[in-house]
Amino acid sequence: MGRILIWDENNRGKGYGKKIVQNLLQYGFSHFNRETAELNVYDWNTGAIECYKKVGFEIDPDVLSEVSIDNELWLSVNMKINKNTFQSLQQ
């Protein structure tokens, strides 16, 4: 998956992103033999980071990456959620 975008600003902050991420995790954990889901998000994307935290993702402080875009350095943080953690938060 490349990104989740709630295009219309009037629809942001209403929980749509959280619901999309929850549904993706539900599908992923039920169809693939994995115990952990992880993603990377640019550190300036605070809205996305907060959305992922609401689902249960936690930042892994040991995993950072950076990329140069138009002579700017963009930092990305890694976030993870365990299958058991996700399932316990769904109840």
Side-chain angles (χ1 to χ4, degrees), residues 22-57:
Q22 286 172 323
N23 286 338
L24 287 168
L25 287 170
Q26 183 64 42
Y27 181 87
F29 283 134
S30 66
H31 285 81
F32 302 102
N33 187 24
R34 299 286 186 262
E35 293 300 314
T36 304
E38 69 180 279
L39 56 84
N40 293 301
V41 58
Y42 290 117
D43 66 343
W44 51 261
N45 195 347
T46 56
I49 291 170
E50 289 307 310
C51 174
Y52 300 138
K53 284 182 177 179
K54 288 177 184 175
V55 174
F57 278 89

Side-chain angles (χ1 to χ4, degrees), residues 2 4 7-9 11-12 18 24 38 41 45 47 56 63 69 74-75 83-84 91:
I4 297 170
W7 190 266
D8 184 351
E9 290 183 18
N11 286 316
R12 294 182 188 166
K18 178 181 175 184
L24 287 168
E38 69 180 279
V41 58
N45 195 347
V63 181
I69 299 177
W74 289 23
L75 299 176
K83 180 179 182 178
N84 292 333
Q91 299 180 26

